[in-house]
Amino acid sequence: AAFISIQAFPALLDLPQEPEVSAVSCGSRHTAAVTRGGELYTWGWGKYGQLGHGNTTSSDQARRVEQLVAEGLRVEEVVCGPWTTYVRV
């Protein structure tokens, strides 16, 4: 089982290529961020596929959701639920 650290206090986060973040949403154990360019980055607990990477792998590192990029979709808004992530494109 993957160990995911839980941050009780705000912490700096380094995103790949340092994009500007326009929105953030937190679920019970995962987080998602939308960039000004319309890309979605997710990290945290992924047991139910809520990170959107096509698997159930958890990650402490923010990763871009490549499926949205591959389909040419621009993310406008993100809302995380307890074990879900909703995205408006």
Side-chain angles (χ1 to χ4, degrees):
F3 173 80
I4 298 299
S5 64
I6 296 174
Q7 296 287 333
F9 300 100
L12 290 175
L13 175 69
D14 290 322
L15 292 177
Q17 302 172 9
E18 300 182 19
E20 286 188 45
V21 173
S22 60
V24 175
S25 183
C26 300
S28 64
R29 296 180 183 158
H30 72 292
T31 305
V34 179
T35 68
R36 292 203 187 279
E39 295 177 329
L40 180 68
Y41 287 81
T42 60
W43 63 98
W45 190 54
K47 182 177 180 178
Y48 299 107
Q50 66 268 41
L51 299 181
H53 300 293
N55 57 39
T56 57
T57 304
S58 298
S59 175
D60 271 341
Q61 301 297 316
R63 292 179 45 214
R64 185 172 73 170
V65 179
E66 297 297 338
Q67 184 65 31
L68 297 173
V69 175
E71 293 182 20
L73 299 173
R74 178 184 168 86
V75 177
E76 298 291 330
E77 184 178 9
V78 65
V79 176
C80 294
W83 299 293
T84 56
T85 304
Y86 302 95
V87 178
R88 181 170 61 88
V89 296

